[in-house]
Amino acid sequence: MNADRRASACFLISAIAAVALGVVYARGGQAQAEGLLLAVTSGGIGAGIVVWAKASTPHDEVTEARHPLASSEAEVAAFTEALAAGERALVEGKGRRGVLLSAGAALTAFGAALLFPIRSLGPRPGRDLKETPYGDSLPVRVVTEDGRPVRVDDLPVDSLLTVWPEGHVDAADAPTLLIRTRPDRDLRVEDGAGVVDGVVAYSKLCTHMGCPVGLYQAEEGLLLCPCHQSTFDVYDAANPVFGPAARPLPQLPLATDDDGYLVATADFMEPVGPGFWDRGR
Amino acid sequence: MLTRRLARFVDERLGTAGFARTALNKVFPDHWSFMIGELALYCFVILLLTGTYLTFFFDPSQNEVVYQGSYAPLQGVEMTAAYASALDLSFDVRAGLVMRQIHHWAALLFLAAIVVHLARVFFTGGFRRPRELNWVIGVTLLVLAIFNGFAGYSLLDDQLSGTGLRIAYSITLSIPLAGTWLASLLFGGEFPGPDIISRLYVIHILLIPAAIVVLLTAHLAIVVRQKHTQFDGPGREEDNVVGERLWPTYALKAVGLFFLTGSVLSFLGGVFQINPVWIYGPFDPAEVSAASQPDWYMGWLDGAARIMPNWEIRAFGFEVPNPFFPAVLLAGVTFGLLYAWPFLEARVTGDDAPHHILDRPRQRPVRTALGVATLGFYGVCFLAGAADVISVTFGLSVNAVLWSFRILLFALPPLASWATYKLCQELCRRDGVPTREPVKFRQILPRLRHGAAPPPAAPATPAD
Amino acid sequence: MRVAPAVALVALAGAAVVLVPPPAAAGGDPEAEGERLYLEGCSSCHGEDGGGAEDDAGNLRGPPVADSGEAAAFYYLSTGRMPLANSEEQPRRKDPAYDEEQIAALVAYVASLGDGPTLPEVDVAAADLVRGGELFRENCQACHSASGSGGALSYGRAAPPLAPARPDETAAAIRVGPGQMPVFGEEALSAAEVADVVRYVEYLDAPADPGGLPIGRLGPIPEGFVGWFLGVPLLLGATYWIGTRSPVRRRKGSL
């Protein structure tokens, strides 16, 4: 088969595929058929053109001169002179200095004025990064995602439960892990009084980049962050033992209220989540 | 007949015939690797076409809706309108899924084509005078493409994209002094903030694409103005261009390549499922899935964040958080070096002359070795970003895998560059051609110290 | 009119009779058969009374199982994770060493030793797929990944893929928290919610893949590999084909 026939065959196959594509679409569509038929349609045209081009376009080598890109000295000199002449007309003369200075000041001020609208894009960072809704009204019950309060007896040993302050289950900075630790293992935490019957509460947000540290290896008491593999030891104040996180997960001090439900007695002991410039101030 | 009348019509009004005649005769040097940049261009065109289609259906809003579409496992679930419209595109808009998937594959391959093109230009010395400006524009295009890819990945508001946004937020937060302000202004408040999806949408479909179009035009115009580089060969000199004419040979090749690119992307989009957001579920800031990764072009940053030791700088109540080092500093150094490379190389080698004949990589062993070492460095970073997938696929300890990459990150580049250097020299020896290294290692340091002029060629006494 | 309830009662009684499992053929009493099997296959590590056993050096060979309950015994035996040939070994899924009847006998015996979680009843057909998906993403995907394909944990541990698990095994694992897995009690997941989760896990065995080949459903990493090792070679191949001259053409051109 000569090249022209091969090219025509490619174009014809492409056209047929295009018709088939229409049929597939009209009959409700199917992603795989659509993708493949589109590939044949587009590929048929491409292949046809290439076969055609290889067979019938001139392939003789053509040589074109490459002229120097730079202009001649005279042209450059004429340009710079024209520029300088204009500049002189503007700048030279008595009192021009004042005009120049005030023009510069106006442009600077205008640039600065344009920056103000940017301020509207977001609120002042302030204390938001250092506080969570736990601190709004203390003590506050911790509740599950559907708002149920939690009793210690509801938590079997080695279980973990994600909780929020009551009324704030949508708060992105407040998810907290309740973990019932094993009674036969030493538990060292920042605030021992904040542990109720082996139930300890830590912020769920990784201190590296804020991913939820949701992987609990109960046997070893390790919390692992799936984003960058930071690992925290639940039995040792949630201190980091591996990975890029440099700080422990902040602890939430717990107690029980009169009805036996778990409550937070204070906000987290440190700002939760990733670090930032003035975190320690 | 019609063509002639049209040409006359236009010429009588704009006087274009002379210019157009020159354009048709323009000569393109003939090497297949010179068309890799075009691959990136065609991926971009397909991104624009499929992306425009997607905008007709996508709703960039963080308003809560209840999903009522046809994907049963999520019916009745509360989610943002953005995620719901992504599901509709996937299940209820006819041809929506294939468009979405072609768009995503085109994005992955757009970036890949840019990187391959960049490597071609780097290893052949195509960035040297007078093409430094176009190199700078090209690197800018790479940066814009990376940002736009990330913005697109983040729009759908599924669990994976939300995790990515959270990481982007934390990285912004880690910038010393300005971080908290920048993060608040970008997200409209504390993460997740009310505005990020709609803002990213404008960035993704308008601001960055417009910038890419402008810079791409400049990139191509500069190529036309400066004429393409060529490889050495019979009749090929610094003051000529040898190749094929634009019309009809090169034009047909280019159009053919566009359609073949479309074919490959359609094939991938139809056959390989990409980013199945319906499995990931709507974003919830308290949830995350194992194996959360960014797309490949951000993978090296994610990997660098994984192998970074847990250092932070804290003093006087201020701190430089850990993510700053891998995600801001490393990225800054990476792109800073990329931007500066043509100028650095010219300074170190003292070779500031215009070059239109390309190097063969083997003839420049030092540059080639450095390039391979760099690719090795970022390759290890990328693999580290897949550490958890690697360890679960091959049954290894993720800690051991990450430690191996920590070691490999520093061991591989020198080894790879040494091997490349030797290989280049061996290849040149076998070809019987000299290496065209314009500078010896022992001359580099004094030259760096003194600036431009090469020191007098006093034969240095051997160090050993 | 008064006959109908009576008929229903009789039918119920009949159904009840049918539902009572037949006595184990060999040993008669399943608990006794279970004890025999336990002493034979389990007691060397878990102790004759289920209190665990130590080796000569005083290291625990196997943990106490007296309070493991039905659910744990069923999970470990049904998934073949127990018995282990060697107590150092990590339990992994393999073909069960006992047949179903023997497992039932062992489960009954272990349950009689103490006080542990019972085997949760799951009615997958009646469960709520959507709620199951929500609970799965809340509680399970962190370790097992959104697609249930498993994930890496620290120090060589891994969360297994969920596709091989049968509904009753998944349900038992939720309550037991085998190995590294945390325990999910009634507070975290009610009995109905366990069934919902199990239904979603079953769905994940063969989810809708409208986009084509799922390439592992492991997210951007396999996607990146397909891009670089299939997409890029295809594109470069096309470029190479276009950018090189065909030798045939050269010969023809010289004619």
Side-chain angles (χ1 to χ4, degrees):
Chain A
M1 191 153 57
N2 69 22
D4 287 354
R5 286 228 183 122
R6 273 184 288 144
S8 320
C10 287
F11 290 132
L12 284 178
I13 291 171
S14 165
I16 293 167
V19 172
L21 188 59
V23 173
V24 168
Y25 182 85
R27 297 181 60 134
Q30 205 279 338
Q32 280 70 58
E34 286 162 358
L36 284 170
L37 287 170
L38 203 55
V40 175
T41 311
S42 181
I45 295 178
I49 287 177
V50 174
V51 171
W52 189 19
K54 284 196 175 209
S56 48
T57 57
H59 285 283
D60 47 324
E61 283 188 340
V62 187
T63 304
E64 193 179 60
R66 194 192 284 278
H67 306 291
L69 288 159
S71 312
S72 69
E73 288 296 329
E75 279 170 323
V76 175
F79 166 71
T80 47
E81 178 46 39
L83 201 65
E87 195 184 316
R88 277 195 301 275
L90 287 173
V91 175
E92 282 173 7
K94 215 170 148 67
R96 284 292 162 82
R97 198 180 150 78
V99 177
L100 276 177
L101 281 177
S102 51
L107 283 175
T108 313
F110 181 59
L114 288 181
L115 288 178
F116 286 111
I118 293 178
R119 175 64 186 81
S120 308
L121 290 176
R124 188 186 179 78
R127 298 210 54 84
D128 277 0
L129 291 166
K130 299 175 186 166
E131 291 167 351
T132 74
Y134 277 111
D136 290 357
S137 64
L138 289 164
V140 58
R141 280 185 181 170
V142 298
V143 297
T144 61
E145 187 153 42
D146 29 340
R148 283 173 295 158
V150 183
R151 283 180 212 270
V152 173
D153 294 340
D154 297 332
L155 300 168
V157 168
D158 276 353
S159 70
L160 92 164
L161 192 65
T162 306
V163 294
W164 288 260
E166 191 164 30
H168 297 280
V169 291
D170 288 329
D173 58 353
T176 312
L177 287 171
L178 288 184
I179 296 175
R180 183 86 184 254
T181 54
R182 296 183 180 183
D184 56 347
R185 273 184 73 168
D186 286 339
L187 174 67
R188 202 189 69 75
V189 290
E190 188 97 339
D191 176 12
V195 178
V196 178
D197 281 348
V199 176
V200 62
Y202 296 117
S203 163
K204 196 177 184 179
L205 303 181
C206 186
T207 54
H208 177 227
M209 292 203 191
C211 288
V213 187
L215 289 69
Y216 184 44
Q217 287 175 247
E219 231 163 50
E220 278 142 1
L222 295 177
L223 282 167
L224 171 70
C225 178
C227 290
H228 303 96
Q229 282 75 44
S230 292
T231 312
F232 303 88
D233 187 347
V234 166
Y235 288 89
D236 180 24
N239 274 308
V241 293
F242 185 83
R247 287 170 285 111
L249 299 172
Q251 187 194 346
L252 182 75
L254 292 176
T256 45
D257 65 9
D258 295 342
D259 300 323
Y261 292 110
L262 285 171
V263 292
T265 56
D267 202 343
F268 288 100
M269 307 175 74
E270 289 272 317
V272 299
F276 50 94
W277 177 245
D278 56 347
R279 194 182 59 88
R281 294 188 74 98
Chain B
M1 206 48 224
L2 189 68
T3 330
R4 190 166 300 171
R5 277 175 55 190
L6 189 68
R8 189 165 298 281
F9 178 86
V10 174
D11 185 65
E12 279 164 0
R13 282 149 188 87
L14 300 170
T16 47
F19 166 76
R21 165 73 214 279
T22 321
L24 289 185
N25 276 345
K26 192 165 174 53
V27 172
F28 284 85
D30 188 19
H31 193 273
W32 71 273
S33 69
F34 296 163
M35 299 183 86
I36 296 172
E38 270 174 63
L39 283 179
L41 171 66
Y42 300 146
C43 286
F44 181 66
V45 171
I46 287 164
L47 280 169
L48 288 183
L49 294 175
T50 50
T52 304
Y53 187 80
L54 297 179
T55 59
F56 296 145
F57 305 97
F58 181 70
D59 178 7
S61 148
Q62 277 164 281
N63 293 335
E64 289 286 322
V65 298
V66 174
Y67 179 67
Q68 305 289 3
S70 64
Y71 181 64
L74 287 173
Q75 276 163 2
V77 172
E78 259 194 49
M79 55 182 66
T80 57
Y83 182 62
S85 66
L87 291 176
D88 288 341
L89 257 169
S90 306
F91 292 100
D92 295 306
V93 174
R94 231 187 265 187
L97 180 60
V98 81
M99 286 289 186
R100 235 199 83 209
Q101 298 202 137
I102 293 174
H103 190 72
H104 203 138
W105 282 117
L108 295 195
L109 289 175
F110 177 46
L111 266 305
I114 292 177
V115 169
V116 177
H117 173 59
L118 180 141
R120 200 282 293 163
V121 173
F122 176 86
F123 285 110
T124 58
F127 51 82
R128 291 173 298 173
R129 188 175 175 186
R131 295 184 177 76
E132 307 98 318
L133 280 182
N134 229 12
W135 169 269
V136 167
I137 292 177
V139 173
T140 310
L141 282 167
L142 170 63
V143 175
L144 289 174
I146 290 178
F147 272 112
N148 217 32
F150 181 76
Y153 159 104
S154 302
L155 283 179
L156 282 71
D157 209 25
D158 58 289
Q159 188 63 51
L160 188 60
S161 77
T163 303
L165 276 179
R166 179 197 286 285
I167 290 170
Y169 176 80
S170 302
I171 291 171
T172 315
L173 210 55
S174 79
I175 298 171
L177 272 168
T180 50
W181 268 105
L182 287 176
S184 181
L185 294 179
L186 184 61
F187 283 72
E190 200 186 354
F191 181 83
D195 299 321
I196 187 65
I197 300 282
S198 49
R199 287 180 187 176
L200 278 181
Y201 187 63
V202 175
I203 291 172
H204 179 72
I205 71 157
L206 178 70
L207 292 184
I208 298 186
I212 290 179
V213 167
V214 169
L215 288 177
L216 244 173
T217 311
H219 201 63
L220 293 173
I222 290 177
V223 171
V224 170
R225 169 84 182 117
Q226 297 183 332
K227 295 184 176 157
H228 207 285
T229 50
Q230 60 193 351
F231 279 113
D232 207 357
R236 283 139 218 249
E237 307 294 340
E238 286 285 1
D239 61 357
N240 69 8
V241 196
V242 181
E244 293 165 335
R245 289 193 202 283
L246 172 66
W247 182 254
T249 313
Y250 199 80
L252 278 194
K253 283 182 171 186
V255 174
L257 187 59
F258 170 73
F259 281 102
L260 288 178
T261 305
S263 176
V264 170
L265 296 178
S266 307
F267 165 72
L268 291 173
V271 174
F272 293 94
Q273 179 164 288
I274 189 165
N275 200 20
V277 285
W278 51 90
I279 295 265
Y280 303 148
F283 178 62
D284 179 328
E287 292 170 8
V288 71
S289 165
S292 287
Q293 267 100 7
D295 278 343
W296 78 262
Y297 46 83
M298 295 290 271
W300 58 279
L301 271 180
D302 196 52
R306 289 176 191 225
I307 48 184
M308 178 71 200
N310 67 343
W311 300 334
E312 287 186 348
I313 297 174
R314 265 169 251 158
F316 310 112
F318 296 112
E319 75 179 27
V320 182
N322 183 284
F324 174 76
F325 304 107
V328 182
L329 199 61
L330 178 71
V333 169
T334 301
F335 291 107
L337 279 178
L338 265 179
Y339 274 120
W341 180 262
F343 310 102
L344 276 180
E345 192 190 283
R347 195 181 167 91
V348 169
T349 59
D351 176 7
D352 200 21
H355 291 280
H356 302 291
I357 299 278
L358 292 171
D359 291 323
R360 293 180 79 194
R362 66 185 61 176
Q363 288 180 298
R364 302 296 298 264
V366 174
R367 181 205 290 143
T368 306
L370 285 174
V372 170
T374 308
L375 288 180
F377 181 89
Y378 291 102
V380 171
C381 282
F382 172 77
L383 286 177
D388 49 342
V389 173
I390 289 171
S391 62
V392 81
T393 308
F394 299 103
L396 304 166
S397 154
V398 75
N399 307 67
V401 169
L402 282 169
W403 263 111
S404 315
F405 286 138
R406 279 178 179 171
I407 296 165
L408 216 54
L409 188 69
F410 296 99
L412 184 73
L415 273 177
S417 60
W418 177 80
T420 310
Y421 187 79
K422 288 289 168 197
L423 183 71
C424 287
Q425 287 192 322
E426 173 63 22
L427 286 172
C428 279
R429 201 180 56 77
R430 214 179 281 179
D431 288 357
V433 295
T435 59
R436 283 202 301 203
E437 217 54 84
V439 67
K440 294 275 179 282
F441 267 129
R442 59 176 178 272
Q443 295 174 328
I444 289 179
L445 278 179
R447 196 166 283 169
L448 268 180
R449 239 176 269 133
H450 296 112
T461 40
D464 50 355
Chain C
M1 289 309 237
R2 295 180 142 259
V3 188
V7 171
L9 261 180
V10 172
L12 264 180
V17 169
V18 174
L19 282 178
V20 170
D29 179 14
E31 222 174 277
E33 168 71 1
E35 181 172 11
R36 191 184 66 76
L37 288 166
Y38 179 87
L39 292 175
E40 191 183 287
C42 320
S43 61
S44 63
C45 293
H46 294 295
E48 297 194 359
D49 54 355
E54 293 178 350
D55 62 14
D56 298 339
N59 297 321
L60 204 61
R61 272 203 237 175
V65 293
D67 289 330
S68 296
E70 276 182 359
F74 172 76
Y75 173 82
Y76 279 107
L77 293 167
S78 175
T79 62
R81 284 182 166 81
M82 290 287 150
L84 286 175
N86 164 2
S87 62
E88 304 285 301
E89 204 183 314
Q90 283 295 315
R92 285 185 202 287
R93 187 176 189 100
K94 49 187 185 286
D95 287 337
Y98 300 100
D99 64 29
E100 283 199 24
E101 221 165 82
Q102 290 170 318
I103 290 175
L106 273 167
V107 167
Y109 176 70
V110 173
S112 75
L113 290 175
D115 183 24
T118 55
L119 204 54
E121 299 276 330
V122 286
D123 184 355
V124 174
D128 182 344
L129 177 66
V130 175
R131 178 79 185 128
E134 288 182 305
L135 293 164
F136 181 87
R137 289 189 291 274
E138 204 175 303
N139 296 294
C140 316
Q141 67 164 349
C143 297
H144 295 284
S145 103
S147 59
S149 46
L153 300 174
S154 286
Y155 302 106
R157 310 307 179 101
L162 299 176
R166 290 177 2 200
D168 44 2
E169 293 166 0
T170 309
I174 290 170
R175 284 286 187 253
V176 170
Q180 297 290 348
M181 181 166 161
V183 175
F184 293 88
E186 282 280 337
E187 175 64 25
L189 296 169
S190 70
E193 288 174 330
V194 169
D196 296 342
V197 172
V198 171
R199 167 118 197 247
Y200 191 73
V201 170
E202 290 300 295
Y203 163 74
L204 285 180
D205 285 355
D209 281 322
L213 299 175
I215 44 176
R217 294 188 206 92
L218 280 170
I221 295 295
E223 290 162 7
F225 276 90
V226 169
W228 272 101
F229 294 107
L230 183 67
V232 169
L234 282 175
L235 288 180
L236 290 183
T239 316
Y240 185 80
W241 179 49
I242 291 174
T244 49
R245 300 168 189 203
S246 62
V248 185
R249 170 64 207 162
R250 269 206 177 150
R251 262 184 270 119
K252 277 192 180 168
S254 66
L255 280 176

